[in-house]
Amino acid sequence: MTTQNLLVELFVEELPPKALRKLGEAFATLLADGLRGQGLLAQASTATGFATPRRLAVHLTDVAARAADKPVSQKLMPVSVGLRDGQPTPALLKKLAALGVADAAVESTLGQLRREGEGKNESLFLDSTQAGASLQAGLQKALDEAIARLPIPKVMSYQLETGVALPGWDSVSFVRPAHGLVALHGADIMPVTALGLVAGNTTHGHRFEAQSSPIVLAHADRYAEQLRDEGAVIAHYEERRQSIVAQLQAAAAQVGGGCRPIEDDALLDEVTALVERPNVLVCQFEEEFLQVPQECLILTMKANQKYFPLLAADGTLTHRFLIVSNISPADASAVIGGNERVVRPRLADAKFFFDQDRKKTLQSRLPLLDKVVYHNQLGSQGERNLRVVAIAKAIAAQLGLDVAQAEQAAQLAKADLLTDMVGEFPELQGTMGRYYARHDGLPDAVADAIEDHYRPRFAGDALPRNPIGVTVALADKLETLVGMFGIGNLPTGDKDPFALRRHALGVIRMLVEKAPQLALDELLALAQTAFAAHLPEGTPFQDARAELSRFIEERLAGNLREQGYTAQEVDAVLALHPQKLADVATRLHAVRSFASLPEAPALAAANKRVSNILKKADITTTPTAMPINILGAAFINVGIGFFNINRPKDTVQPMVDTALLQEAAEQALYAALQTTAPQAEQAFAAGDYTASLQALAALKEPVDAFFDTVMVNADDAALKANRLGLLAQLQQAMNRVADISRLAA
């Protein structure tokens, strides 16, 4: 089967730059998959996508003019239905007619039918050869499907030009108006249609610098070459991106002094999608603007102008910046001058905002927070501020920090929302608060905390740099979590408008890395108390701490699995709901070490068996540091109090009456517990979770012997209660670090 390479191009008006990369990749992938599914691509075929501001294209190698024929076997019906006395029934004849078998061919077709199966399961099959799809038909189908499935952010409708539209294509819906379609198989035009256009072999180059327009494409393989040479267009997205990177580095080196362009992949992607042939030029602005915080200048240059600020070797902003022009004139002075004139008013606005904002202190802005709505059920930003302050003060007290500084940082954390600079650039909230706090003469710890209380903003972001910042960041995130759960405003599916998943992960990271001494349940209680004291009157608010704890644990579990821990290991540790999240990693390490012991599988299985027995008896136990030979008051009436323990908080210390230990195996297990449990408990108390779990290995033989020879559910109620108490002691001793029953296969 002979093959040639195929080129397909959609020529359109300027595509949305933030979507261009995905559109180009999707167009190439979808078209290739569509042709491959019809057998028109060779096994080794490759797809190369192209994407510029005005085109989506794909070059495919080894594309057949027609797909190979393939055998098809179709089940018709049971023999008993299709044949009667060896003759075809009306049902069979109707089926053959539906499959396109002509009357004249029925007799010969009947002779070709194949039987398969036996008895009542014997069926009739028709074997035939299906002709392979032609490239024109296959490409038309693949093209239609690819266009329909493109990840278009927003569709627009438009009217086609008179005399150009195909019949029925007066109006079109697509990401942008399409003006040309190319489909070349080798040098041959494939007359397919799309978006009301008929494919040809002509395209267009650069709007201003193309040598000829239109460009007549000679061959599918010459597409990129002709666009570069005749059209002044670099068609390949990645090639254009790499060219920009190289030119940025070269321009920075030309400036000298160790300068480097700011690194921003999102900006680089967007600029790549805005130009067809990039040309990087060096510009500058007046040095007086450097008095403005560099974050403001960098943001306005990147967000508004798509410029690349130049940083000095020490990371500070210089008064030079780089632009990526779409034209390459012999004399670039006009382009440079024009961009310098454009950026100057932007920087002047930033300087004006900065100067005006510093005329008022952050403290003086606080009353205005009462006029800013936070949530229609949770009140204003002022009310929210009172809750955050209350939580922050309580956390600071637990950590032994300067409560006054924590209170001040929490009070002022949102004050910069009322400044002109943050009003213009919301991305700078927190950052500007830090600058204004320092201008007001506040301590560095407070100023840094104002900026850092938003951290971590995303996965991998830095945590607050000082303990006061950690305190306010925890308070801010806990207020959001408890508040939204309290009014039932929870994430659903992929919708999370208040970023509760991100807040939960931020709390986890800070408790693990910055504040290991804090317990999650105590923090949630602090937040709940703050809402009880500072909530708009009449707001229905529930105590959703249990649900929120599960939500945070789910985020923690997912994070741990991403780190390489197995679902069983994570489940075993989190089943005990450890409140100090910093302990979780240590417990996981201990569980992994325990699981490698030869005794581990048997002990895990035994623990699971114990859990099932106690669950059937409605017995709830909890890990305890008390000596296991101390009798709990609830067991004084053996056989009554023990079996009535079925409420979640009604947990007790299990008792064992040594006088009722009749079997040698239960006596041996009790004796082993007296030795092993204190050892495990001592290691646990010292934080050596690995040693605590490994001490349990000594229980394997007595546990195995107990289950081999002792009947737990004895007829004698007192004897049964005593054995259940022994098993409850065993469960408590084994499940101090983790619920090892979760490790059972």
Side-chain angles (χ1 to χ4, degrees), residues 356-369 385 408-420 422 428-443 446-451 453:
Q356 290 297 112
D357 286 342
R358 288 182 295 172
K359 294 178 180 179
K360 293 177 64 177
T361 65
L362 289 177
Q363 188 73 35
S364 69
R365 299 177 186 273
L366 290 181
L368 297 177
L369 288 175
N385 200 33
Q408 187 176 40
Q411 278 182 338
L412 301 177
K414 303 297 183 185
D416 69 347
L417 296 178
L418 302 167
T419 62
D420 292 338
V422 174
L428 293 176
Q429 55 188 288
T431 300
M432 297 313 302
R434 176 171 172 266
Y435 279 106
Y436 296 146
R438 288 190 167 182
H439 179 265
D440 294 345
L442 300 182
V446 173
D448 291 344
I450 291 173
E451 178 178 32
H453 86 279

Side-chain angles (χ1 to χ4, degrees), residues 346-426:
R346 295 284 188 180
L347 302 183
D349 286 345
K351 186 176 186 302
F352 175 78
F353 293 146
F354 184 58
D355 292 339
Q356 290 297 112
D357 286 342
R358 288 182 295 172
K359 294 178 180 179
K360 293 177 64 177
T361 65
L362 289 177
Q363 188 73 35
S364 69
R365 299 177 186 273
L366 290 181
L368 297 177
L369 288 175
D370 292 329
K371 299 180 181 180
V372 179
V373 175
Y374 167 57
H375 190 278
N376 59 355
Q377 290 179 268
L378 298 177
S380 67
Q381 282 285 2
E383 290 170 302
R384 181 173 191 264
N385 200 33
L386 292 174
R387 297 190 292 267
V388 173
V389 168
I391 300 168
K393 288 171 62 179
I395 294 175
Q398 283 197 16
L399 293 175
L401 303 177
D402 187 326
V403 175
Q405 282 195 349
E407 179 180 13
Q408 187 176 40
Q411 278 182 338
L412 301 177
K414 303 297 183 185
D416 69 347
L417 296 178
L418 302 167
T419 62
D420 292 338
M421 186 72 82
V422 174
E424 181 71 14
F425 300 111

